[in-house]
Amino acid sequence: MVTLPNVGAVIALLVLMLATTTFVVLYVRRQRLYAVLSAQQDALASGASVEISHHAYREGIGFEQGFAQLTNIVDDKTFHAIAAEAAALSGVERSYVPTHKKGGTIAYETLIAQAPTIVQLYTSQQMRDAVSNVVGMPVRPTPINDQSSLSLLIYDRPGDHIDWHYDHNFYRGRHFTVLLPIVNRGCEPGSLSSTRFQIKHPDSVSEFATPPNGLLIFEGAKVLHRATPLAAGERRIVLSMTYCSDPRSSWWQGIARRLKDTAFFGIRALWT
């Protein structure tokens, strides 16, 4: 007697095979894209001519607590070029996580294609040295397939913010977040927005205005932080850079990083 296969099991198997094949195809395509982007990034890095002030004024709570703030870190010519590139960029991806975050993001791959000076700044030895000097150890950029390695954070609608969080570390080494405010404009001419960058301590909260061309360096996995909501008529654009003392990762760290990135860059982050 011939037994017919269970129809439900066959359908489930076909769906699984289709999903697996789709994932593999998309993953391979992404890897080919990253090979092209890596070559473009190397070409940009070889022509870098940015200038960093190694004597920038340090203020705030100091890095002994995992945080430092610098002022006027980038030379005027480079900063104006960065600001011009940020203003001309397209490809903003809006995301909204109820009660946690609302805002726009421009991913690393878009910046490689459209913002050469921004990429040169991130990959430059000057910036790496400046961050290394502050944190007290050599650091390197995180991998190109990490969409958050280099990104632009866009806050341009009322209520845009990100609530209390840690920047989880998905690498073997210590991981540092570096924020360069490019635009921070309030409603009044020449004023800063009402948004404040805050750090939570066990019994207090430190608050920082973030004028353009300052630099915030902190160990996000250990520093609880947030950016308070933007008011109507205000605008903030922040360049987010991440560096690591050892940017290698285990397989499970890679999976966790991909899952996190879906909140910023959508489902495509799963096959990065």
Side-chain angles (χ1 to χ4, degrees):
M1 180 178 180
V2 178
T3 303
L4 294 176
N6 182 289
V7 176
V10 172
I11 292 175
L13 179 60
L14 290 174
V15 170
L16 178 61
M17 292 173 62
L18 178 61
T20 302
T21 302
T22 301
F23 180 87
V24 171
V25 169
L26 291 172
Y27 179 81
V28 170
R29 286 180 179 176
R30 296 298 296 181
Q31 297 313 302
R32 290 173 179 170
L33 172 63
Y34 290 137
V36 173
L37 293 175
S38 181
Q40 293 176 346
Q41 183 196 61
D42 290 344
L44 291 173
S46 66
S49 60
V50 300
E51 293 293 335
I52 302 296
S53 171
H54 289 278
H55 304 289
Y57 177 64
R58 289 185 58 178
E59 60 184 342
I61 62 176
F63 208 78
E64 63 273 7
Q65 298 186 47
F67 177 87
Q69 185 177 31
L70 312 178
T71 58
N72 298 321
I73 187 69
V74 181
D75 70 285
D76 289 343
K77 180 181 178 181
T78 300
F79 187 76
H80 290 323
I82 288 172
E85 289 178 354
L89 281 169
S90 58
V92 179
E93 300 176 82
R94 293 283 303 181
S95 59
Y96 174 57
V97 179
T99 74
H100 179 60
K101 75 173 293 291
K102 184 166 78 79
T105 310
I106 296 179
Y108 196 178
E109 60 196 59
T110 303
L111 296 176
I112 291 175
Q114 300 183 24
T117 309
I118 288 175
V119 175
Q120 288 173 342
L121 176 70
Y122 174 58
T123 57
S124 70
Q125 189 63 52
Q126 296 95 323
M127 180 59 80
R128 290 168 58 180
D129 288 344
V131 176
S132 298
N133 288 340
V134 171
V135 303
M137 65 179 61
V139 297
R140 289 180 283 167
T142 48
I144 197 170
N145 65 319
D146 185 342
Q147 297 289 291
S148 297
S149 289
L150 179 67
S151 60
L152 212 60
L153 310 179
I154 313 293
Y155 301 89
D156 58 357
R157 301 182 187 180
D160 280 359
H161 73 289
I162 186 164
D163 210 350
W164 294 113
H165 68 286
Y166 292 100
D167 296 334
H168 296 292
N169 184 4
F170 303 106
Y171 297 99
R172 294 182 182 180
R174 290 175 64 185
H175 179 260
F176 304 95
T177 302
V178 180
L179 302 179
L180 175 69
I182 298 173
V183 175
N184 188 359
R185 187 171 66 239
C187 295
E188 299 298 325
S191 67
L192 297 179
S193 73
S194 57
T195 295
R196 293 294 181 267
F197 183 84
Q198 296 181 331
I199 289 177
K200 182 175 285 188
H201 311 289
D203 55 359
S204 63
V205 173
S206 296
E207 183 172 277
F208 302 86
T210 52
N213 202 17
L215 201 68
L216 305 175
I217 304 174
F218 55 97
E219 191 165 4
K222 298 181 179 180
V223 175
L224 187 61
H225 57 283
R226 73 173 179 179
T228 61
L230 193 76
E234 298 181 334
R235 183 176 178 84
R236 293 180 70 235
I237 300 177
V238 180
L239 181 61
S240 175
M241 302 173 279
T242 62
Y243 295 90
C244 194
S245 60
D246 182 355
R248 295 176 297 171
S249 61
S250 64
W251 66 267
W252 63 266
Q253 287 176 316
I255 291 174
R257 189 264 303 164
R258 291 177 176 90
L259 291 173
K260 182 270 297 182
D261 273 352
T262 60
F264 293 86
F265 305 104
I267 194 171
R268 81 166 190 273
L270 293 177
W271 44 83
T272 59

